[in-house]
Amino acid sequence: MVSKSYKAWLQYEKIETVGIRNAYIKQLGNIVLPAEISEFAPAIRELKVAIRAMLGIEPVVSERPSNPSYFRIAMASGEEVEQLGSEGYRIRASRVDAGTCLTLVGGGTSGLIYGVFHLLRLIGANEPVSELDICEKPVSQLRMLNQWDNADGSIERGYAGQSIFYRNGQISERLDRVRDYARLAASVGINGISINNVNVHKTETAFITPGLLPEVAKVADVLRAYGIRLYLSVNFAAPIQVGGLATADPLDAAVQAWWQETAKAIYDYIPDFGGFVVKADSEHRPGPFTYGRDHADGANMLADALAPFGGIVIWRCFVYNCMQDWRDRTTDRARAAYDHFTPLDGSFKDNVILQIKNGPMDFQVREPVSPLFGAMTKTNQMMEFQVTQEYTGQQRHLCYLVPQWKEALDFDTHAQGEGSYVKRVADGSLFGAKHSGFAAVSNIGDDDNWTGHTLAQANLYGYGRLIWNPELSAQQIADEWIRQTFGNDDQVINVISRMLMGSWQTYENYTAPLGVGWMVAPNHHYGPDVDGYEYSRWGTYHFADRDGIGVDRTTNTGTGYSAQYHAINAEVYGDAVKCPDELLLFFHHVPYTHRLQSGKTVIQHIYDTHFEGAEQADDLQKQWFALEGLIDSARYGHVRERLREQAQHAKQWRDIINTYFYRKSGIPDAQGRTIY
Amino acid sequence: MVSKSYKAWLQYEKIETVGIRNAYIKQLGNIVLPAEISEFAPAIRELKVAIRAMLGIEPVVSERPSNPSYFRIAMASGEEVEQLGSEGYRIRASRVDAGTCLTLVGGGTSGLIYGVFHLLRLIGANEPVSELDICEKPVSQLRMLNQWDNADGSIERGYAGQSIFYRNGQISERLDRVRDYARLAASVGINGISINNVNVHKTETAFITPGLLPEVAKVADVLRAYGIRLYLSVNFAAPIQVGGLATADPLDAAVQAWWQETAKAIYDYIPDFGGFVVKADSEHRPGPFTYGRDHADGANMLADALAPFGGIVIWRCFVYNCMQDWRDRTTDRARAAYDHFTPLDGSFKDNVILQIKNGPMDFQVREPVSPLFGAMTKTNQMMEFQVTQEYTGQQRHLCYLVPQWKEALDFDTHAQGEGSYVKRVADGSLFGAKHSGFAAVSNIGDDDNWTGHTLAQANLYGYGRLIWNPELSAQQIADEWIRQTFGNDDQVINVISRMLMGSWQTYENYTAPLGVGWMVAPNHHYGPDVDGYEYSRWGTYHFADRDGIGVDRTTNTGTGYSAQYHAINAEVYGDAVKCPDELLLFFHHVPYTHRLQSGKTVIQHIYDTHFEGAEQADDLQKQWFALEGLIDSARYGHVRERLREQAQHAKQWRDIINTYFYRKSGIPDAQGRTIY
């Protein structure tokens, strides 16, 4: 018996309103399928499963219509082929003799899958289908999930159990859970999954060898059915570690030959293999620097190996000095990616994509957009988000991240004048990139509900939907997700929607203030520790003293990071008066008495947001209580427990942060609330 | 080939000075042994091994003298029996016919062993033996080491490798290393070892069952040869976990019967079994509180079970609330042991001993003496030290702890007026206790040099020597240890002696100031983190704000802890003017501008000691450099590496502590040195 938690947003609950159900039955009771499309294709199977569940009927599948109204499915032909592309689809209702013909045309098998899921989403929301005229294709090319899963079954930064891909050092024998994951991913348009951690350990280094490729290929087979390509994270030192060579120098002929043979072997087993994800010369991972080469040398060598087969190299830009001395204020980790990569603009092969984290640091609750977006006009780029909530509550706290991602996508880089939005970099249109798109660190594991916190399913869902079309609003995505996950009850929708939409701001309120980031316990990154990263080697400082706080990243007196943005942004960020409040401490060191644009002082803002955030967290619980009886008790009870923990933990955050700053500043709360 | 590191202080280097060697040969070349003493007794074996090594001869063993001078060994008889006790010995030289008779009389087999080691120590130091007249017996009754070793081979707070007692969940098959350890321990007078962690895990809980007792008995056999009794740490919930009972209530008849049967089974296998060490109702360990009983109920029940066999119960007083809320300033962890145990004075059976840590917190570099010493006149007590350097540099830093222990022992409790020293509580004389003595957490593991840092061998050595006779000075013990470990070169002795003697002060200088403690990274406790334990549940706070620092433990305005001492001490500690500087912040919260008895302000003291401490650490290196070529290169190089790391790490300590307090206080260093 599959639980509701497990079904996530593919509940396919039976439609209880007879009139609505009958209208759907009339339209979908007869599926008209051409011979070229198998009744057992995943798209058709999904459709039939859903019709059975939601409408309570067994649909009649025929080659010609057998009902007055029917649902016709076809593959694109003629000019539609180019119009839709392999991932697009059209859903259109039209009057025929005695009824209505609903037609779904898929640009390819992927388009068909996406079209079916779109239609099912509408049915799940009880939307009428008799007037549909939809034509969709994804705005972004590469829509990817990065699993940080390890062969030993652990997941780096995983908060939902163990890996579904691996067990005891091997690829899982049973891949049914991977298949269910692929289905969930495909339902929101994901078309690529890298199945192993970017920190590639010993066993995983050998995934690209003939000994293990047959196992990897089995995973690829499962993903392929849902239109998802398999990618592998590779170890740059693989030629040494599994190739028996003495070097991994990218300019060494033997190394190049080894990667070429390796690529060939991979494609023998996995003809549609997506390519390599590479974390090189980052946090002690091997890379081209060892041999006096640069990132382009390294990436291009791999790109040459994959090019004959259509594969790509996804090269991560998360490169910085992770052995920094906190005493050295001239080095600024935020600068690192830009400083490393912009000089190389134009030198990467066209099947290389640089994967750039949304912000310059590391998935903090609040960061500016990475200035690399908009800085490299001749280089393929993709955006990296983190769906797993490493720094945003680890799926014990509710934090719906779509609003955060949306803000990043809507940031105007001004690279080509006004309107040079980040989303136009990520969709490849701004600079006419050959490859572009999105990757995100997944938040799933083998917990029954996939994501630890059931409401964290919304982040996985939302990631897929948002990158399919960055014009969707966070609210709209939340609404879709709630209806599919918990049904169409207005109160349920209103309550959960309000909870989701406010949750990022709430989390920001009670954690690190005004964009300064960090302030978490080292290593595991859970819970408050204001100085946890203050005297460390990670380049993550707030410089709070008795007078003020923040990092001066301006050009005149600071690290000069603000100048990595185009003029108009550089000017705003570089000026403590103009800088948006929420990023003030990221760019400026100011006194606690500095007055924000909001009119409050920095210290009073800290107190106010922390009291408010803890209250909001408490309020999340209370809102949820109103849903008792309106949703199933298993999910209700589970979420209630998480929210209870969050509310309690938010108070801990509030008190530690407030006490820390009160002890340091000596400035009392204007409202005289309790600070310890 | 056994390395010099492994030999520790039992080097038995050949004496190169011919005159000295010949004098010893003349005296010790003929060993006269009565029939009652086996030539293969450990004491005699040890003697012969040492004579062979140091003098280069094979001694002649005979029942009657065959040389003019000789070395006669005998067991005590007549009034000497009571005079020496089983652990005492007499060594006396007397003129006989044509030579000198050196006589060693052992009060028992242990006394014989101790006497041999004493004599060998003198020979190692090249002391003349022809005029000897020594009569020694240990001042303390129980002289014990606690191994915090786990069956899985790990050691809680171990910094010298894995356990020598266990491997892969079982007692080691080869016990030769345990035998060598017993020999080292016996050489400094240890007479008891508890072989498993006070946190008793699953496997170890079953050590007291017939299934595992045969294995435990093998260890006891090895220890017994060196006069050491085996003790076990037991799990108070053992009746449930291995006994199949539904309760562990100490007043339940079935529970009592189970422990009685268990005790009988233990003594069947180990006739001289020492007894139980118990950590109960402490840091989540089970205990009598679960059943509404008190510590006396729990301890007495176990004591009754052991009494018929002469066993004792060692009940630890490390009991406090480890789920404290940092916001609650009324609870004071320092008070806990006293508050828990003094009301029970007089209610413990006479084969129960309370094991009390030297200070009220947890083995910090500086703490006052626990007020429990001197507070319980009708209860057996023993002192617990920590030889393993959990909070004092983890055997990566040099920290010779004998001076610290010495200070604790010389503390006058004033319990019975002036002169009521802690050492007189620990030796049982002050209150006429039936049982008393010392325990210490051992610092050894399976590293070749036993203790991780070779110079940390001095702490194990010094612990044994000091508790044998608390009147020995730290300097004298250091001198003994160096001579035996590195030989009699004056420069070697002077340098290492100076290094050892200053090392505790040096470590204190660059770490937490003025007795406030903690300021280490949570969990592993290595390296600086000023706020690491500030907002935690462990009751470990410094309360530093922009104005001042320290814990108010006075009676009028603080937690009242200072009143747990007898009047004269309570008055000194309770008064910020009289309180010794080094404990000021343990007892008082004062402004940074508070002037110490030294004349410095608190803040300037912090700066000065931290600059000084880091320099001293650096200087330790330089002192060591002078020994290159004077000691073997293996030990020289190893120690040099540790000292290099210490010097570097001390700078990290210096800068983090100084920066933390500069940022908080805003008060610049009077000498204008660099603070970041």
Side-chain angles (χ1 to χ4, degrees):
Chain A
M1 176 67 186
V2 171
S3 71
K4 284 178 184 289
S5 303
Y6 189 86
K7 285 181 186 168
W9 55 85
L10 299 178
Q11 298 285 327
Y12 299 153
E13 281 287 321
K14 184 164 182 194
I15 295 170
E16 297 293 351
T17 311
V18 179
I20 296 175
R21 187 169 73 238
N22 283 345
Y24 285 133
I25 290 175
K26 193 171 153 197
Q27 189 65 62
L28 302 165
N30 177 207
I31 300 172
V32 177
L33 211 59
E36 60 177 344
I37 301 178
S38 161
E39 208 176 321
F40 303 104
I44 311 304
R45 268 215 317 261
E46 187 73 30
L47 181 65
K48 288 168 72 179
V49 164
I51 287 176
R52 269 184 224 120
M54 292 197 282
L55 308 184
I57 60 158
E58 184 63 37
V60 174
V61 181
S62 55
E63 238 181 287
R64 305 189 169 281
S66 57
N67 284 7
S69 289
Y70 53 90
F71 179 30
R72 191 173 74 88
I73 297 179
M75 298 306 288
S77 60
E79 63 186 19
E80 265 182 331
V81 172
E82 195 172 332
Q83 194 185 337
L84 296 178
S86 66
E87 296 189 318
Y89 55 86
R90 180 186 294 281
I91 308 173
R92 184 185 278 166
S94 52
R95 302 295 305 169
V96 289
D97 299 343
T100 307
C101 167
L102 183 67
T103 304
L104 165 61
V105 175
T109 49
S110 292
L112 214 55
I113 291 171
Y114 300 146
V116 164
F117 278 116
H118 189 146
L119 181 67
L120 295 176
R121 190 154 64 228
L122 296 177
I123 297 172
N126 296 351
E127 297 278 346
V129 295
S130 55
E131 308 284 332
L132 288 183
D133 188 2
I134 292 167
C135 182
E136 287 234 359
K137 60 179 182 181
V139 173
S140 324
Q141 188 191 68
L142 192 51
R143 303 178 306 281
M144 192 162 175
L145 286 166
N146 293 162
Q147 303 301 132
W148 282 2
D149 297 34
N150 301 314
D152 65 6
S154 66
I155 304 176
E156 188 164 325
R157 310 307 175 188
Y159 310 107
Q162 295 288 101
S163 174
I164 64 167
F165 290 87
Y166 311 102
R167 191 167 294 271
N168 302 326
Q170 298 184 319
I171 289 178
S172 294
E173 283 176 33
R174 296 189 52 198
L175 293 173
D176 45 340
R177 186 104 202 220
V178 172
R179 190 199 62 231
D180 291 347
Y181 180 44
R183 175 174 165 255
L184 282 172
S187 79
V188 291
I190 297 300
N191 66 0
I193 296 181
S194 59
I195 65 165
N196 63 309
N197 189 354
V198 291
N199 294 314
V200 185
H201 305 298
K202 193 169 168 222
T203 306
E204 301 88 334
T205 299
F207 279 178
I208 53 177
T209 61
L212 291 179
L213 275 170
E215 291 301 305
V216 177
K218 286 182 194 162
V219 180
D221 294 344
V222 170
L223 301 183
R224 184 180 302 112
Y226 285 96
I228 297 168
R229 285 186 181 208
L230 180 144
Y231 293 73
L232 288 173
S233 296
V234 295
N235 179 343
F236 198 80
I240 300 169
Q241 289 187 27
V242 297
L245 301 183
T247 177
D249 183 349
L251 302 195
D252 181 277
V255 170
Q256 293 167 354
W258 186 84
W259 280 109
Q260 284 156 18
E261 283 155 33
T262 296
K264 187 173 174 318
I266 295 171
Y267 282 90
D268 282 346
Y269 285 96
I270 309 167
D272 63 344
F273 178 69
F276 296 148
V277 176
V278 193
K279 175 175 180 178
D281 288 316
S282 164
E283 296 179 338
H284 310 296
R285 301 305 305 163
F289 288 1
T290 308
Y291 309 100
R293 316 303 180 189
D294 64 24
H295 289 287
D297 295 327
N300 290 341
M301 181 270 294
L302 295 174
D304 285 341
L306 294 172
F309 312 99
I312 59 173
V313 171
I314 298 172
W315 193 269
R316 293 176 88 239
C317 293
F318 186 55
V319 176
Y320 66 99
N321 174 8
C322 67
M323 295 295 283
Q324 197 177 320
D325 189 326
W326 61 272
R327 290 164 283 217
D328 160 27
R329 291 214 187 185
T330 63
T331 304
D332 181 3
R333 170 169 167 179
R335 292 188 60 111
Y338 182 101
D339 287 345
H340 275 288
F341 285 93
T342 53
L344 299 173
D345 190 24
S347 26
F348 291 95
K349 301 270 174 166
D350 71 359
N351 62 332
V352 173
I353 315 185
L354 298 186
Q355 179 168 318
I356 305 164
K357 290 192 180 187
N358 62 290
M361 296 299 274
D362 191 17
F363 302 133
Q364 300 303 292
V365 67
R366 176 75 67 176
E367 293 186 37
V369 167
S370 170
L372 259 186
F373 297 107
M376 302 183 77
T377 60
K378 292 168 287 188
T379 303
N380 297 320
Q381 294 171 62
M382 63 193 286
M383 169 76 94
E384 178 176 341
F385 288 132
Q386 195 182 42
V387 184
T388 194
Q389 293 171 233
E390 179 177 358
Y391 293 99
T392 51
Q394 303 195 354
Q395 285 131 259
R396 310 203 73 80
H397 293 231
L398 178 64
C399 192
Y400 176 58
L401 290 166
V402 177
Q404 187 201 52
W405 301 332
K406 185 93 187 141
E407 222 174 82
L409 292 175
D410 288 344
F411 180 76
D412 191 345
T413 67
H414 289 272
Q416 314 269 37
E418 207 177 322
S420 301
Y421 300 113
V422 165
K423 59 191 171 193
R424 294 191 54 215
V425 180
D427 70 17
S429 63
L430 190 68
F431 305 125
K434 182 169 175 200
H435 294 285
S436 61
F438 292 87
V441 188
S442 176
N443 65 346
I444 67 111
D446 70 357
D447 277 3
D448 182 62
N449 71 355
W450 297 95
T451 51
H453 198 312
T454 295
L455 300 186
Q457 292 174 351
N459 284 327
L460 184 60
Y461 180 88
Y463 167 68
R465 294 290 294 137
L466 181 68
I467 64 173
W468 175 276
N469 178 10
E471 299 305 325
L472 291 175
S473 75
Q475 173 71 64
Q476 195 174 342
I477 292 172
D479 187 83
E480 279 182 7
W481 176 77
I482 300 164
R483 287 176 184 276
Q484 294 176 82
T485 305
F486 291 107
N488 294 297
D489 181 286
D490 277 346
Q491 193 183 348
V492 171
I493 294 165
N494 288 339
V495 167
I496 301 181
S497 175
R498 209 179 319 122
M499 289 173 67
L500 292 179
M501 289 303 293
S503 61
W504 173 43
Q505 181 64 61
T506 294
Y507 191 81
E508 183 177 15
N509 279 347
Y510 61 74
T511 57
L514 298 165
V516 76
W518 308 95
M519 302 194 172
V520 292
N523 306 319
H524 60 69
H525 299 163
Y526 190 69
D529 185 347
V530 180
D531 280 358
Y533 277 94
E534 188 59 14
Y535 302 99
S536 73
R537 58 194 175 85
W538 298 100
T540 47
Y541 316 118
H542 55 62
F543 300 122
D545 60 20
R546 73 199 318 255
D547 303 314
I549 179 176
V551 189
D552 186 348
R553 292 191 162 107
T554 64
T555 42
N556 284 343
T557 54
T559 68
Y561 166 79
S562 65
Q564 292 186 342
Y565 292 89
H566 289 281
I568 196 163
N569 291 321
E571 195 193 313
V572 167
Y573 287 149
D575 181 338
V577 175
K578 293 182 191 156
C579 183
D581 284 352
E582 69 271 15
L583 288 172
L584 182 70
L585 302 184
F586 191 93
F587 285 100
H588 299 274
H589 187 94
V590 298
Y592 293 116
T593 51
H594 174 92
R595 208 158 280 280
L596 298 168
Q597 294 178 38
S598 71
K600 287 182 182 171
T601 60
V602 165
I603 190 72
Q604 194 57 41
H605 172 92
I606 291 175
Y607 297 152
D608 287 351
T609 49
H610 285 77
F611 283 112
E612 190 186 354
E615 264 173 47
Q616 289 166 327
D618 204 55
D619 199 49
L620 281 172
Q621 277 196 101
K622 291 182 188 136
Q623 291 179 63
W624 188 254
F625 291 157
L627 301 187
E628 188 164 9
L630 296 179
I631 62 177
D632 55 293
S633 61
R635 289 188 296 177
Y636 173 79
H638 156 83
V639 172
R640 187 192 54 204
E641 264 316 290
R642 297 267 157 156
L643 294 171
R644 191 191 55 73
E645 180 180 336
Q646 178 179 5
Q648 203 170 33
H649 202 217
K651 290 194 184 76
Q652 181 80 346
W653 268 102
R654 173 196 68 193
D655 292 337
I656 290 178
I657 300 272
N658 281 345
T659 298
Y660 180 97
F661 285 105
Y662 174 61
R663 286 191 188 175
K664 223 156 199 171
S665 71
I667 302 172
D669 171 37
Q671 295 188 45
R673 291 162 292 195
T674 303
I675 296 176
Y676 296 88
Chain B
M1 177 64 186
V2 173
S3 70
K4 285 179 184 289
S5 303
Y6 189 87
K7 286 181 187 167
W9 55 86
L10 300 177
Q11 297 286 328
Y12 299 153
E13 282 287 324
K14 185 164 182 193
I15 295 170
E16 298 292 352
T17 310
V18 178
I20 296 175
R21 187 168 73 236
N22 283 344
Y24 286 132
I25 290 174
K26 191 172 154 198
Q27 189 64 64
L28 302 164
N30 175 206
I31 299 173
V32 177
L33 212 59
E36 59 180 345
I37 301 176
S38 161
E39 208 175 322
F40 303 103
I44 311 305
R45 268 214 318 260
E46 187 72 31
L47 181 65
K48 288 168 72 178
V49 163
I51 287 176
R52 268 184 226 118
M54 293 196 283
L55 309 184
I57 60 156
E58 185 61 37
V60 175
V61 181
S62 54
E63 237 178 290
R64 305 190 171 278
S66 55
N67 285 6
S69 289
Y70 52 92
F71 180 29
R72 192 173 72 90
I73 298 180
M75 298 307 287
S77 60
E79 61 187 20
E80 265 183 329
V81 172
E82 194 174 332
Q83 193 186 341
L84 295 178
S86 67
E87 296 188 318
Y89 55 86
R90 180 185 295 279
I91 309 174
R92 184 184 280 164
S94 53
R95 301 296 306 169
V96 289
D97 296 345
T100 307
C101 166
L102 184 67
T103 304
L104 165 61
V105 175
T109 49
S110 292
L112 215 52
I113 291 172
Y114 301 145
V116 164
F117 279 116
H118 189 146
L119 181 68
L120 295 177
R121 190 157 63 229
L122 296 177
I123 297 173
N126 296 354
E127 299 276 347
V129 296
S130 56
E131 308 284 330
L132 287 183
D133 187 1
I134 293 168
C135 183
E136 288 234 0
K137 61 180 179 179
V139 174
S140 324
Q141 187 190 70
L142 192 51
R143 302 177 308 280
M144 192 166 177
L145 286 166
N146 293 162
Q147 302 301 132
W148 283 2
D149 297 34
N150 301 312
D152 65 6
S154 66
I155 304 175
E156 188 163 326
R157 310 304 174 190
Y159 310 106
Q162 296 288 101
S163 174
I164 63 167
F165 290 87
Y166 312 103
R167 192 166 293 272
N168 302 324
Q170 299 182 321
I171 289 176
S172 295
E173 283 177 32
R174 295 188 54 197
L175 292 174
D176 44 339
R177 186 104 200 221
V178 172
R179 192 199 60 230
D180 291 348
Y181 180 44
R183 175 174 165 255
L184 282 172
S187 79
V188 291
I190 297 299
N191 65 359
I193 295 183
S194 59
I195 65 165
N196 63 308
N197 190 353
V198 291
N199 293 314
V200 185
H201 306 297
K202 195 170 165 221
T203 304
E204 300 88 334
T205 299
F207 278 178
I208 53 177
T209 63
L212 292 179
L213 276 169
E215 291 301 306
V216 176
K218 286 182 195 162
V219 180
D221 294 343
V222 170
L223 301 183
R224 184 180 303 114
Y226 285 97
I228 297 169
R229 285 186 180 208
L230 180 143
Y231 293 73
L232 288 174
S233 297
V234 295
N235 180 343
F236 198 80
I240 301 170
Q241 289 187 29
V242 298
L245 300 184
T247 177
D249 182 350
L251 301 195
D252 183 277
V255 170
Q256 294 167 353
W258 186 85
W259 280 109
Q260 283 156 18
E261 284 155 34
T262 295
K264 186 175 177 320
I266 294 171
Y267 281 91
D268 281 348
Y269 285 96
I270 308 168
D272 61 345
F273 178 69
F276 297 148
V277 176
V278 194
K279 176 176 180 178
D281 288 316
S282 165
E283 295 180 337
H284 311 294
R285 301 306 305 164
F289 288 2
T290 309
Y291 310 100
R293 315 303 181 192
D294 64 24
H295 289 286
D297 295 328
N300 290 342
M301 181 270 294
L302 296 174
D304 284 341
L306 294 172
F309 312 99
I312 59 172
V313 171
I314 297 172
W315 193 269
R316 292 175 91 239
C317 295
F318 186 55
V319 175
Y320 66 99
N321 174 7
C322 67
M323 295 294 283
Q324 198 178 322
D325 189 326
W326 61 272
R327 289 164 285 215
D328 161 27
R329 292 216 189 182
T330 65
T331 305
D332 180 2
R333 170 169 167 179
R335 291 187 60 111
Y338 183 101
D339 286 345
H340 276 288
F341 285 92
T342 52
L344 300 173
D345 190 25
S347 29
F348 291 96
K349 302 268 173 168
D350 72 358
N351 62 330
V352 172
I353 313 184
L354 298 187
Q355 179 169 319
I356 305 164
K357 290 191 181 187
N358 61 292
M361 296 298 275
D362 191 16
F363 301 133
Q364 300 302 294
V365 68
R366 175 76 66 173
E367 293 186 39
V369 168
S370 169
L372 260 185
F373 297 106
M376 302 182 77
T377 59
K378 293 168 286 188
T379 304
N380 297 321
Q381 295 171 60
M382 63 194 284
M383 169 76 94
E384 179 177 341
F385 288 132
Q386 195 182 43
V387 184
T388 193
Q389 294 171 236
E390 178 177 359
Y391 293 99
T392 49
Q394 303 196 352
Q395 285 132 258
R396 311 201 73 79
H397 294 231
L398 178 64
C399 190
Y400 177 57
L401 289 166
V402 177
Q404 186 201 51
W405 303 330
K406 185 93 185 141
E407 221 172 83
L409 292 175
D410 288 343
F411 180 76
D412 191 345
T413 67
H414 288 273
Q416 314 268 37
E418 208 178 321
S420 302
Y421 301 112
V422 166
K423 59 191 171 194
R424 295 192 52 215
V425 180
D427 70 17
S429 63
L430 191 66
F431 305 125
K434 182 171 177 197
H435 293 286
S436 61
F438 292 87
V441 188
S442 176
N443 65 345
I444 68 110
D446 70 357
D447 276 4
D448 182 61
N449 70 355
W450 298 95
T451 53
H453 199 312
T454 295
L455 300 186
Q457 293 174 350
N459 285 326
L460 184 62
Y461 180 89
Y463 167 69
R465 294 290 294 138
L466 181 66
I467 64 174
W468 176 276
N469 178 10
E471 300 305 324
L472 290 175
S473 75
Q475 174 70 64
Q476 195 173 342
I477 293 171
D479 187 81
E480 279 183 7
W481 176 77
I482 300 163
R483 287 177 184 275
Q484 294 176 82
T485 306
F486 291 107
N488 295 298
D489 180 287
D490 277 345
Q491 192 182 350
V492 171
I493 295 165
N494 289 338
V495 167
I496 300 182
S497 175
R498 209 181 318 123
M499 289 174 67
L500 292 179
M501 289 304 292
S503 60
W504 173 43
Q505 182 63 62
T506 293
Y507 192 79
E508 182 177 18
N509 280 347
Y510 60 75
T511 58
L514 296 165
V516 75
W518 310 94
M519 304 195 169
V520 291
N523 305 319
H524 59 68
H525 301 163
Y526 191 69
D529 185 346
V530 181
D531 280 357
Y533 277 93
E534 188 61 14
Y535 302 99
S536 73
R537 59 194 175 84
W538 299 100
T540 46
Y541 316 118
H542 55 63
F543 301 122
D545 62 19
R546 74 200 315 261
D547 302 314
I549 179 174
V551 188
D552 186 348
R553 292 191 163 108
T554 63
T555 43
N556 285 341
T557 54
T559 68
Y561 166 80
S562 64
Q564 293 186 343
Y565 292 88
H566 288 281
I568 196 163
N569 291 321
E571 196 193 313
V572 167
Y573 287 150
D575 182 339
V577 175
K578 294 183 190 155
C579 183
D581 285 352
E582 68 271 16
L583 288 172
L584 183 69
L585 302 183
F586 192 93
F587 285 100
H588 299 274
H589 186 95
V590 298
Y592 293 117
T593 52
H594 174 92
R595 208 158 281 278
L596 296 168
Q597 295 178 37
S598 70
K600 287 182 182 172
T601 61
V602 166
I603 190 72
Q604 194 57 40
H605 172 92
I606 292 175
Y607 298 151
D608 286 351
T609 50
H610 284 77
F611 283 112
E612 190 185 354
E615 264 171 49
Q616 288 166 326
D618 205 54
D619 199 49
L620 281 172
Q621 276 196 101
K622 290 181 190 137
Q623 292 178 63
W624 189 254
F625 292 157
L627 301 186
E628 190 166 8
L630 295 180
I631 62 178
D632 56 294
S633 62
R635 289 188 295 177
Y636 173 79
H638 156 83
V639 172
R640 186 192 54 206
E641 263 316 289
R642 297 267 157 156
L643 294 172
R644 192 192 54 72
E645 180 180 335
Q646 177 178 6
Q648 202 169 33
H649 201 218
K651 289 194 183 74
Q652 181 80 345
W653 269 101
R654 172 195 70 193
D655 291 338
I656 289 178
I657 300 273
N658 281 345
T659 299
Y660 179 97
F661 286 104
Y662 175 61
R663 286 190 187 175
K664 224 157 198 168
S665 71
I667 301 171
D669 171 36
Q671 295 189 44
R673 291 162 291 194
T674 302
I675 296 176
Y676 296 88

